[in-house]
Amino acid sequence: MTTTATRHPRGLGHAALLTTLITLSLASCAKQNARAATTRHDTGNQTVAIDLVDYAFRPQRVQATPGVPLAIQLRNKGFTADTFTIHDSNITVDVVLRPGQARTITVTPLPGPVSLRYLCRYHDPSGMHGQLTFGPVAPDLRE
Ligand SMILES: [Cu+2]
């Protein structure tokens, strides 16, 4: 019998562990809504789905593998028209989606880490924007 076991009865230890598990699962739920990694395919491509929902992108942060074509499945699930827009020195995307519309676009960035800002031209000032990172997530994006 160790001193630790004597000081902390078995029942108390379980309660503490259960609390930790619940906290962890709640945290991962919140993270999934805000962030998504891409799904890799045998074809060498990767995909991610981004929903446009009433002045917000879901998810707001996407992490992708550098140098691999990325198919982005856009779906407007809100009640207002939105755009999915990227203005970068290497990549320009501008898609308008009315409510209920869906469209898949493919982005092929240069090899190596790059971060692209995606936004809705109509609602960017209201906070409708996000970040697409090819490569490791920057330290400021980690929770
Ligand atoms: Cu919008």
mmCIF file of all heavy atoms in Angstrom, residues 55 81-83 120 122-123 128, ligand 1:
data_model
loop_
_atom_site.group_PDB
_atom_site.id
_atom_site.type_symbol
_atom_site.label_atom_id
_atom_site.label_comp_id
_atom_site.label_asym_id
_atom_site.label_seq_id
_atom_site.Cartn_x
_atom_site.Cartn_y
_atom_site.Cartn_z
ATOM 1 N N TYR A 55 -23.528 34.913 -41.994
ATOM 2 C CA TYR A 55 -22.433 35.785 -41.554
ATOM 3 C C TYR A 55 -21.279 35.033 -40.896
ATOM 4 O O TYR A 55 -20.473 35.633 -40.203
ATOM 5 C CB TYR A 55 -22.934 36.889 -40.601
ATOM 6 C CG TYR A 55 -24.224 37.521 -41.024
ATOM 7 C CD1 TYR A 55 -25.331 37.517 -40.191
ATOM 8 C CD2 TYR A 55 -24.343 38.110 -42.287
ATOM 9 C CE1 TYR A 55 -26.530 38.094 -40.602
ATOM 10 C CE2 TYR A 55 -25.535 38.682 -42.705
ATOM 11 C CZ TYR A 55 -26.621 38.668 -41.857
ATOM 12 O OH TYR A 55 -27.791 39.221 -42.260
ATOM 13 N N ALA A 81 -27.166 35.549 -49.257
ATOM 14 C CA ALA A 81 -26.086 35.241 -50.190
ATOM 15 C C ALA A 81 -24.746 35.584 -49.558
ATOM 16 O O ALA A 81 -24.630 36.547 -48.791
ATOM 17 C CB ALA A 81 -26.269 36.010 -51.488
ATOM 18 N N ASP A 82 -23.728 34.778 -49.846
ATOM 19 C CA ASP A 82 -22.380 34.994 -49.332
ATOM 20 C C ASP A 82 -21.383 34.780 -50.459
ATOM 21 O O ASP A 82 -21.722 34.211 -51.501
ATOM 22 C CB ASP A 82 -22.058 33.994 -48.210
ATOM 23 C CG ASP A 82 -22.912 34.194 -46.969
ATOM 24 O OD1 ASP A 82 -22.937 35.324 -46.450
ATOM 25 O OD2 ASP A 82 -23.546 33.220 -46.535
ATOM 26 N N THR A 83 -20.159 35.204 -50.227
ATOM 27 C CA THR A 83 -19.088 34.853 -51.151
ATOM 28 C C THR A 83 -18.011 34.091 -50.393
ATOM 29 O O THR A 83 -17.865 34.249 -49.175
ATOM 30 C CB THR A 83 -18.425 36.090 -51.804
ATOM 31 O OG1 THR A 83 -17.505 36.689 -50.873
ATOM 32 C CG2 THR A 83 -19.464 37.098 -52.256
ATOM 33 N N CYS A 120 -15.928 36.573 -46.775
ATOM 34 C CA CYS A 120 -17.126 36.884 -47.542
ATOM 35 C C CYS A 120 -17.077 38.387 -47.826
ATOM 36 O O CYS A 120 -16.949 39.185 -46.901
ATOM 37 C CB CYS A 120 -18.373 36.515 -46.738
ATOM 38 S SG CYS A 120 -19.892 37.176 -47.447
ATOM 39 N N TYR A 122 -19.334 40.366 -48.667
ATOM 40 C CA TYR A 122 -20.477 41.089 -48.123
ATOM 41 C C TYR A 122 -20.387 41.285 -46.611
ATOM 42 O O TYR A 122 -20.846 42.282 -46.075
ATOM 43 C CB TYR A 122 -21.790 40.350 -48.446
ATOM 44 C CG TYR A 122 -21.980 39.975 -49.898
ATOM 45 C CD1 TYR A 122 -22.688 38.829 -50.254
ATOM 46 C CD2 TYR A 122 -21.454 40.768 -50.921
ATOM 47 C CE1 TYR A 122 -22.873 38.478 -51.588
ATOM 48 C CE2 TYR A 122 -21.635 40.427 -52.259
ATOM 49 C CZ TYR A 122 -22.344 39.279 -52.583
ATOM 50 O OH TYR A 122 -22.516 38.937 -53.897
ATOM 51 N N HIS A 123 -19.849 40.285 -45.930
ATOM 52 C CA HIS A 123 -19.937 40.284 -44.466
ATOM 53 C C HIS A 123 -18.587 40.207 -43.755
ATOM 54 O O HIS A 123 -18.541 39.908 -42.565
ATOM 55 C CB HIS A 123 -20.823 39.108 -44.005
ATOM 56 C CG HIS A 123 -22.141 39.050 -44.708
ATOM 57 N ND1 HIS A 123 -22.519 38.008 -45.514
ATOM 58 C CD2 HIS A 123 -23.162 39.940 -44.747
ATOM 59 C CE1 HIS A 123 -23.732 38.247 -46.020
ATOM 60 N NE2 HIS A 123 -24.132 39.410 -45.580
ATOM 61 N N MET A 128 -17.113 37.736 -40.967
ATOM 62 C CA MET A 128 -17.228 36.531 -41.779
ATOM 63 C C MET A 128 -15.929 36.307 -42.555
ATOM 64 O O MET A 128 -15.796 36.715 -43.717
ATOM 65 C CB MET A 128 -18.414 36.621 -42.742
ATOM 66 C CG MET A 128 -18.721 35.287 -43.422
ATOM 67 S SD MET A 128 -20.313 35.292 -44.241
ATOM 68 C CE MET A 128 -20.344 33.609 -44.888
HETATM 69 CU CU CU B 1 -21.486 36.558 -46.089
#
